[in-house]
């Protein structure tokens, strides 16, 4: 997530990432729809089936629709306070991000997820990210993996929050998530690093390969 330059979209595609993430909310990683379109086009020269997801925080439906059209997005990530019915008004499939506040138990999180899943248009995925009172995301702070594992045991989630090449394999082994998401963990001096992108995706894919390999007896 947080791609802003075509070269790093290409690096993600070369590394084998499944989805590119673009931030369309106030952030140091904010990108324009035209720039996102250029990044997506460059990445698809390498990996034609790579998907593109736009991250929005409490944005109007009209803004999401226009940005999605110009950028050529495949998915929308609801990263704000959007309710369970919001996805029904969107032009694209959506994933819902939950940022559990300190002290919230896994049962309460699962209850919230169930409400979204029972909506007329449920999210295609649930992402768990680290809570911060100061920002909607991108803090680089690590989520409580034990809490994430408890939630994932009830319904598959995408794990985010403070993941980087050094810890992503451990996180996957503990949480067993459906997928992982990273942004600042693939940056050096505030800018994406092709080396870190390759390292992160490589570590994640290797860890997921272990997850799906049948145990030999």
């Amino acid at each position: 997530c947080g791609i802003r330059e075509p070269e790093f979209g290409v690096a993600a595609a070369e590394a084998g990432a499944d989805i590119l993430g673009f931030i369309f909310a106030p952030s140091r990683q904010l990108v324009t729809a035209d720039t996102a379109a250029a990044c997506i086009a460059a990445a698809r020269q390498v990996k034609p089936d790579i998907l593109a997801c736009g991250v929005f925080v409490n944005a109007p439906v009209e803004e999401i629709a226009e940005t999605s059209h110009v950028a050529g997005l495949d998915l929308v990530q609801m990263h704000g306070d959007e309710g369970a019915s919001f996805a029904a008004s969107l032009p694209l499939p959506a994933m819902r991000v939950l940022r559990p506040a300190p002290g919230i138990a896994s049962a309460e999180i699962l209850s919230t997820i169930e409400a979204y899943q029972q909506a007329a248009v449920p999210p295609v995925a649930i992402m768990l990210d680290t809570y911060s009172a100061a920002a909607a995301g991108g803090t680089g702070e690590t989520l409580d993996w034990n809490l994430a594992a408890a939630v994932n045991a009830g319904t598959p989630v995408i794990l985010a929050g403070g993941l980087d090449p050094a810890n992503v394999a451990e996180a996957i082994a503990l949480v067993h998530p459906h997928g992982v998401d990273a942004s600042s963990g693939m940056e050096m001096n505030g800018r994406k690093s092709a080396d870190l992108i390759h390292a992160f995706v490589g570590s994640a894919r290797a860890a997921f390969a272990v997850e799906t390999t049948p145990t030999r007896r």
Side-chain angles (χ1 to χ4, degrees), residues 84-184:
S85 63
F86 188 77
S89 61
L90 296 175
L92 295 173
M95 67 173 71
R96 182 72 178 100
V97 179
L98 298 178
R99 301 179 299 123
I104 291 184
S106 60
E108 186 174 349
I109 299 170
L110 285 167
S111 178
T112 300
I113 292 173
E114 183 178 5
Y116 278 94
Q117 291 176 333
Q118 291 181 347
V121 179
V124 294
I126 298 292
M127 179 183 292
L128 293 184
D129 199 357
T130 309
Y131 173 82
S132 170
T139 63
E141 297 178 11
T142 305
L143 180 67
D144 181 343
W145 292 346
N146 289 317
L147 175 65
V151 174
N152 188 76
T155 188
V157 299
I158 296 174
L159 180 66
L163 297 178
D164 58 36
N167 67 14
V168 65
E170 181 184 357
I172 291 170
L174 177 62
V175 179
H176 311 294
H178 185 67
V180 290
D181 172 277
S183 183
S184 60

Side-chain angles (χ1 to χ4, degrees), residues 189-215:
N189 298 322
R191 188 169 184 259
K192 285 289 186 286
S193 161
D195 288 342
L196 290 177
I197 289 172
H198 277 272
F200 179 85
V201 178
S203 293
R205 292 184 71 86
F208 279 120
V210 171
E211 292 279 299
T212 58
T213 300
T215 302

